[in-house]
Amino acid sequence: MMREFVLEFSGRVGAFVGRAIDTLILDLVRQLRFSYYPPLLVYLAAGISGLTAIVGTFFVKEHFGFSASLLAGLAFWAGVPWTLKIPLGHLVDLVWRWKAALIYLGAALIALSIGIMYGLIAHPDRMASLMALETWYVVSVLLAPIGYVLQDVVADAMTVEAVPLFDRAGNKYPEETVRGMHTTMQTLGRIAIISGLTAVAALNIWMFSGTAEIPESEKTEIYAQVYLIALAIPVISISGVIMAVIARRMRAAELSRQGLDGRRIAEILDVHGSPPKPNWWIIGGGAGFSVFTLAAGLAPIAYGQEIVFAGSMAIVLFLMHRLLGDLPAEQRGALVGTALIIFVFRAVPGPGPAVGWWEIDVLGFDQQFLSVLSFLTAGLTLAGMIALRPLMAKRSIAEVVIILTIAAAILSLPNIGLFYGIQEWTKSMTGGLVDARAIAIMDTALESPLGQLAMIPMLAWIAKNAPEQLKATFFAVMASFTNLALAASSLGTRYLNDIFPVMREVRDRASDAVIVPADYSLVGWLLVTVAVLAIVLPLLTIAAVQSSPLRTKQ
């Protein structure tokens, strides 16, 4: 009888696992279409951009005397181009047939940024003869996001083009089917980004194997190799454009074989429709924003970042008001409420580079181990996005953000515990098995899937409900608003690093004398403050939005 029970139980478990795999993975694979690949390749390139993150962290720490506060401020300026997605999105709608040119331009800027970093590492003397190394680094940091935002704007719009409105016979799909394809397309887009991060994290693990024991000169050679490999990023994004042309021609040939005339084929393929009329409020506002940002950024005035942020927010909100007026009142309120929730969720400040320095210097985390953490983060985020796809389809964004907020707050505790020495207690209790690295791995494994989930339902809503001729503009409007949240997060991070200053050891390049001694005594307060803000700010915002006319059920 026990044997029969075991067999029956095993059969039920097997059936459950089989259904879960079919629902979460195989169903997603079945829904994958050839037309989805072009934007996915552009998103994949964005994910692969993480290849240089660990190298950049160690290179800056070892070769530049930048403070944590200054680097947080630089991150603010690097995030400014992402707030330009509104005029850029409208530009894509206006020049839809020539959108590939923006991908090529973005690829060129990305390649230039990577080339500068390669030069700084492999040929520093030659670079220094032209311009200060610190200046070269700042130029590289600012060029890359401009390239990525150009490509991202086009990729967002390409996701709309990738979803067919007609079947192979030229018959229109039902609305429910189209909505499901848009959700799948947006999910696959996030998966492509995380897949890129996972792949490069695995590559970093291999490349940084044994770096703790090798001389500094050999480490520098590895850093240079990483940046050379990173030149594949613009190549991959360009291949997405080429594949889009191939996909369009294949679809046209298929429809032609079915006997459809050229006019009908053009109607089926032209998802975007005729170009919209230029919205001069958006164009003028975007131009004004650019001039305002450059003037405020270059002028030697106090609180330049705060002025840029406030001005950017005013301009973006004005452009949103002008654009969202085309939506029905109920949809407009729900979309604004949704965007506000996501804005605050993304605007929570982080600890900044100071915690990374502390992990390297005090906990002894080297390049390879940080690559392992990066791999776990990316891989488990990918798994979490697939596993939690049904949750995102059934729950509102407000409910999803509540879940993510509480989970993130709880999962911040192990990091805080590491600062206060919890690893010493766990090591003694487990015979040395659960040390600082084990705790970091477990925390990463649990925390990984949380970051990328909140945006997917909103992106799918825009793809389905925005006016046909303004898809790119609507994507850009919401992205600019939510990306301003990242600028707010960078400002908050800078403030926290000013309040709780953390100093790494800085040595003179020539004499190797210590210029600034290390001081990590305030890392604990920094981590606790970030954790408190991460739970209080989003939950208060959700409570306020859901009790107002902006209440969202999306």
Side-chain angles (χ1 to χ4, degrees), residues 49-64 117-118 120-121 137 200 203-204 207-208 211 216 219-230 360 366-368 370-371 374:
S49 66
L51 173 65
T52 59
I54 291 175
V55 171
T57 298
F58 275 85
F59 182 72
V60 170
K61 179 179 180 295
E62 294 163 1
H63 293 83
F64 298 125
M117 287 302 299
Y118 173 77
L120 289 177
I121 295 171
Y137 175 75
V200 300
L203 180 61
N204 273 327
M207 295 196 70
F208 288 125
T211 52
E216 196 64 36
K219 288 183 184 180
T220 301
E221 290 180 9
I222 294 175
Y223 293 169
Q225 290 172 10
V226 169
Y227 276 98
L228 281 179
I229 294 171
I360 294 168
D366 57 20
Q367 293 95 328
Q368 186 182 31
L370 291 177
S371 299
S374 178

Side-chain angles (χ1 to χ4, degrees), residues 228-239:
L228 281 179
I229 294 171
L231 288 172
I233 295 170
V235 175
I236 292 172
S237 59
I238 290 173
S239 68

